[in-house]
Amino acid sequence: MSSTGKDLEQPRSKMLYISREQRIELLIPVVAVFLALLLGALLVIFIGQSPIKAYSALLKGAFGSKRDIAETLINVTPLIFTGLSVAFSFKCGLFNIGAEGQFIMGQIVAAWIGFQITGLPTVIHMPLAFLLGALAGGLWAALPGYLKAKLGVHEVINTIMMNYIALYFSHYLLMAALKEPGQIPQTPAVAATARLWRILPGTRLHFGLILALGAVCLVYYLLFKTTLGYEIRAVGLNPHAARYSGINVSRDIIIAMTISGALSGAAGAVQILGVQFRFLDLFGFVGYGFDGIAVALLGRNHPFGVLAAATLFGTLARGAVTMQSMAKIPKQIIGIIQATIVLIVAADEILRRLMKPKETEIQGSQDAGEVELGGDR
Amino acid sequence: METGNLADVTIYIALVVSTLRMATPLILAGLGGVFSERSGVVNIALEGIMLISAFMGMLISYYTEAPWLGVLSAVASGVLVALILAVACVRYKSNQVVVGTAINIFSLGFTGFMLRKVFEHAGQSPPVTKVADWTIPLIHKIPVIGPMIGKHTPFVYIAIVAAVISNHVLFETKLGLRIRAVGEHPKAAETVGVDVFAIRYLCVLLSGALAGLAGASLSLGFLSQFRENMTGGRGFIALAAMIFGKWTPYGTLGACILFGFADALQILSQTLGLTFIPRDFLLMAPYILTMAALAGVIGRSVPPAASGVPYERQK
């Protein structure tokens, strides 16, 4: 039922059209951010405050001092990982809405390896805890990937289900086996040898940021410079065509989900080994996984776009805390801004029509996820 | 092994009452999911719609002290939020899961923001007037059965009646046939003159109304206040129940009661002496069962063929 066939038809003035299309492609996220910030300003006026004061408090909170900048970057780090995670699955035509659950699994395994093992040198213990955390997230995503590839079960539902299973399962593991003695439901602190290095003296900024930047480059390389990446993108664009050209679609779906999950698991591991140092009992989702969806969409599912979008959302999240205390604006306003951005980017057809009223016939569905959603039977 | 006093009839009464309480919001939201998906639109925004409706219902009841007016406004806000989904996904063919996710993010931000704006208070609203319980004449006097089903918040009865009506509409009326046709094969439906867009709009708005009722049941039925993120994933369990119930109203009803029962067991596990089953496993059960059903381990669940696929009008 997908309109993939149509996308192959090129209009007459091919060169001109493509550059214009690309310009719109870049413009949409910018317009979305602008409109969402405008809506935020209106909300601030609605509660009787000054938007200029509010946004300057936000900027001051995010970049006011060395410590603020470090805290902002600490916020950005997990978002880069979860944004990459969701974007990677999108590239294969999959929607990994389970980043949240994979994040939790990454957290609990990294914490466990971190405190259980002692006496290892840092150069071994730290990477071990990080990689096993990532692996836990990868395995958590591999199951929905397998069910999708082998049985055609839609990954959206299964990954949602596995978010909740992860939430309760982590609680069970914590209470049954990993809790430190005492009243507080948390694991013991991870050993000093498992902690990520601090990279900016006098702040909490940790090596996780470097790992995240490395992941951006790695995902870029993987997607655009390797055969596997080419195959994964081919599956994302059109699984049927990919199958006819000899690509093992099932295998690629499982691999893509596993890598996607590993990136979310890495986000969880980094939060434990760089910031929290212990797994704390969760009373609900922390939200980095869901934010990852917003990051991926705004970043147009491109690794560098993800980096930019994660920086924006991390800045907003950090700045909102200051905005709340300084300008008395509820920090939940960020959620509204974020949702608005996602909505506008998702409903980009509206903007496209406004921007090129004469070419309404051309469907520009660039998102691979859109093509395959629900079309798996 | 501690077994508790299983001979005590009050335990069974508590179990049934608790099951119905936990199942009701799931049934209402799940039926909303059935209509939406049967017409071909995936609605993962049920969670967010419920949350916003729970808030708006509470807010209107707070100002007017008329709880039914609150329920009405909860339904209206549910429809309004669903309209966003409908316009973006039916008219503009946006990715349904993405828009649903945006609505879920929005609902958390919006309700948290408004809670602080209106009440200058984080976490929860002040108590408001809730909808009075209904007592069913005669039945409530029957021993054992009476205390189980004779007196509940109206939402419990509304939910069950809604399931019966939904089943009738979906499987015994012309409209229902059209809805199912649009969800299975929109092109064929349009060929015989069915307005695919109109049916999808109708179903998505209807699912908004039902999810709105589900939200109202939380803040005006079982509790008499709004709490931050009070839906706590019920929208997603409702979605799971809909799948487990194979996209049919009665199937969804049954699945919701089963999931509600698992929840009730978890709540009453101390009293029932079920502490040997970890509570977390009971909480996980609905999700695991749903995955098993989808994978075909317990009777394969197959979604409507065109569910999730935007429809392109034929020229």
Side-chain angles (χ1 to χ4, degrees):
Chain A
M1 286 308 294
S2 67
S3 57
T4 325
K6 244 180 205 168
D7 295 339
L8 297 175
E9 291 169 24
Q10 291 291 340
R12 296 150 301 273
S13 52
K14 197 176 163 192
M15 292 305 289
L16 188 73
Y17 172 73
I18 284 175
S19 74
R20 194 174 174 196
E21 178 65 19
Q22 280 174 339
R23 230 184 310 137
I24 290 173
E25 200 57 19
L26 282 174
L27 209 56
I28 284 170
V30 178
V31 172
V33 170
F34 176 74
L35 288 177
L37 289 175
L38 197 67
L39 176 75
L42 290 176
L43 283 174
V44 171
I45 294 170
F46 166 68
I47 60 169
Q49 304 281 352
S50 147
I52 296 171
K53 235 192 210 164
Y55 283 139
S56 55
L58 189 147
L59 285 176
K60 191 166 173 298
F63 305 116
S65 67
K66 186 170 103 174
R67 197 180 142 263
D68 289 326
I69 295 173
E71 290 295 321
T72 300
L73 292 173
I74 289 171
N75 260 319
V76 170
T77 302
L79 291 178
I80 296 175
F81 277 115
T82 54
L84 286 175
S85 165
V86 178
F88 198 88
S89 68
F90 260 133
K91 281 286 180 199
C92 191
L94 302 162
F95 197 159
N96 178 12
I97 205 163
E100 201 69 46
Q102 295 138 22
F103 178 88
I104 294 174
M105 297 318 286
Q107 275 202 316
I108 198 148
V109 168
W112 178 50
I113 302 296
F115 79 78
Q116 195 72 50
I117 302 171
T118 47
L120 283 179
T122 304
V123 283
I124 296 175
H125 198 184
M126 188 178 75
L128 186 72
F130 172 76
L131 289 174
L132 287 179
L135 181 69
L139 291 177
W140 204 250
L143 179 61
Y146 176 85
L147 292 172
K148 164 89 176 191
K150 299 294 175 190
L151 298 172
V153 183
H154 207 295
E155 76 284 356
V156 165
I157 297 297
N158 275 338
T159 50
I160 291 176
M161 299 298 114
M162 289 192 71
N163 279 342
Y164 285 92
I165 297 174
L167 187 63
Y168 298 121
F169 186 54
S170 70
H171 181 258
Y172 172 74
L173 283 180
L174 178 66
M175 300 318 264
L178 305 178
K179 195 172 90 66
E180 73 172 357
Q183 289 299 308
I184 312 164
Q186 60 182 19
T187 62
V190 299
T193 48
R195 298 184 185 193
L196 294 164
W197 296 299
R198 293 275 155 91
I199 55 171
L200 189 63
T203 71
R204 300 198 300 161
L205 189 61
H206 55 80
F207 189 66
L209 180 66
I210 311 293
L211 291 173
L213 294 176
V216 170
C217 300
L218 190 68
V219 167
Y220 177 80
Y221 177 79
L222 198 60
L223 274 177
F224 298 104
K225 305 285 173 200
T226 65
T227 315
L228 178 70
Y230 177 81
E231 282 188 15
I232 282 174
R233 285 183 294 127
V235 173
L237 284 174
N238 189 333
H240 306 294
R243 184 168 287 127
Y244 283 122
S245 63
I247 291 173
N248 187 340
V249 176
S250 296
R251 189 199 66 149
D252 284 2
I253 284 177
I254 297 173
I255 292 177
M257 273 308 276
T258 309
I259 292 175
S260 170
L263 287 161
S264 284
V270 155
Q271 283 307 90
I272 293 292
L273 305 174
V275 185
Q276 291 177 215
F277 302 133
R278 39 176 109 229
F279 182 82
L280 311 168
D281 192 19
L282 297 165
F283 296 99
F285 295 119
V286 190
Y288 285 120
F290 294 124
D291 289 349
I293 300 171
V295 169
L297 279 165
L298 183 63
R300 290 317 226 175
N301 301 321
H302 191 285
F304 298 133
V306 164
L307 181 60
T311 307
L312 176 74
F313 284 144
T315 304
L316 289 177
R318 167 65 188 170
V321 180
T322 312
M323 191 170 73
Q324 177 161 281
S325 58
M326 272 177 62
K328 301 276 168 288
I329 315 236
K331 65 173 194 280
Q332 280 81 0
I333 196 171
I334 298 307
I336 301 179
I337 292 176
Q338 205 159 309
T340 310
I341 294 175
V342 176
L343 199 60
I344 297 175
V345 174
D348 57 357
E349 268 303 303
I350 302 174
L351 284 183
R352 277 172 209 279
R353 284 186 200 192
L354 291 175
M355 285 183 199
K356 41 167 193 175
K358 280 176 192 163
E359 293 180 275
T360 43
E361 291 305 301
I362 298 155
Q363 292 299 322
S365 58
Q366 250 66 23
D367 280 338
E370 192 167 304
V371 178
E372 176 58 359
L373 263 183
D376 51 325
R377 51 194 67 90
Chain B
M1 195 198 307
E2 180 69 44
T3 48
N5 189 1
L6 290 180
D8 191 349
V9 75
T10 55
I11 290 179
Y12 298 102
I13 293 170
L15 201 56
V16 172
V17 168
S18 204
T19 300
L20 286 174
R21 282 173 66 100
M22 301 320 288
T24 296
L26 303 182
I27 297 169
L28 289 165
L31 291 172
V34 170
F35 276 107
S36 184
E37 296 232 346
R38 277 287 182 166
S39 79
V41 181
V42 170
N43 189 353
I44 71 159
L46 291 172
E47 172 85 6
I49 296 174
M50 274 170 83
L51 193 63
I52 289 177
S53 300
F55 180 85
M56 293 309 286
M58 175 282 298
L59 194 66
I60 298 301
S61 178
Y62 174 79
Y63 283 126
T64 64
E65 289 180 16
W68 281 108
L69 211 57
V71 175
L72 206 65
S73 54
V75 172
S77 14
V79 171
L80 212 62
V81 180
L83 187 63
I84 301 176
L85 182 73
V87 170
C89 298
V90 180
R91 173 91 172 75
Y92 290 103
K93 303 176 190 63
S94 308
N95 185 318
Q96 299 166 1
V97 179
V98 171
V99 174
T101 305
I103 291 175
N104 290 336
I105 299 175
F106 175 81
S107 70
L108 268 177
F110 174 79
T111 53
F113 181 84
M114 291 299 286
L115 202 58
R116 277 167 188 76
K117 152 91 180 103
V118 180
F119 303 105
E120 292 178 350
H121 197 288
Q124 58 189 49
S125 78
V128 298
T129 320
K130 68 172 192 169
V131 175
D133 285 359
W134 279 354
T135 308
I136 306 300
L138 298 177
I139 291 181
H140 83 279
K141 287 185 183 149
I142 305 172
V144 186
I145 308 282
M148 280 179 178
I149 60 167
K151 186 168 183 286
H152 277 290
T153 175
F155 293 101
V156 171
Y157 307 111
I158 293 174
I160 290 164
V161 171
V164 176
I165 296 176
S166 300
N167 190 72
H168 175 75
V169 169
L170 211 49
F171 294 110
E172 284 160 44
T173 66
K174 209 193 268 179
L175 177 66
L177 182 65
R178 287 180 178 167
I179 292 172
R180 286 179 290 131
V182 165
E184 288 295 338
H185 202 317
K187 202 181 268 184
E190 190 170 54
T191 312
V192 295
V194 177
D195 188 338
V196 176
F197 280 19
I199 293 279
R200 287 193 172 176
Y201 266 105
L202 176 76
C203 286
V204 173
L205 297 187
L206 188 59
S207 90
L210 284 161
L213 262 181
S217 80
L218 295 173
S219 63
L220 295 173
F222 299 108
L223 290 178
S224 50
Q225 65 171 182
F226 177 84
R227 291 183 187 163
E228 213 162 325
N229 197 16
M230 75 187 305
T231 43
R234 285 191 179 81
F236 291 116
I237 304 192
L239 211 62
M242 173 200 76
I243 295 163
F244 195 63
K246 303 198 165 120
W247 285 266
T248 67
Y250 283 151
T252 304
L253 176 70
C256 290
I257 290 175
L258 179 69
F259 292 176
F261 181 67
D263 220 353
L265 278 182
Q266 175 263 125
I267 293 165
L268 296 169
S269 67
Q270 287 283 344
T271 332
L272 289 166
L274 289 175
T275 40
F276 57 93
I277 308 175
R279 287 182 54 195
D280 294 305
F281 286 7
L282 288 169
L283 287 166
M284 270 188 251
Y287 308 106
I288 294 174
L289 283 174
T290 302
M291 285 182 74
L294 276 170
V297 180
I298 25 178
R300 184 86 192 263
S301 286
V302 182
S307 183
V309 189
Y311 183 65
E312 198 80 51
R313 257 196 182 130
Q314 306 301 305
K315 312 274 149 29

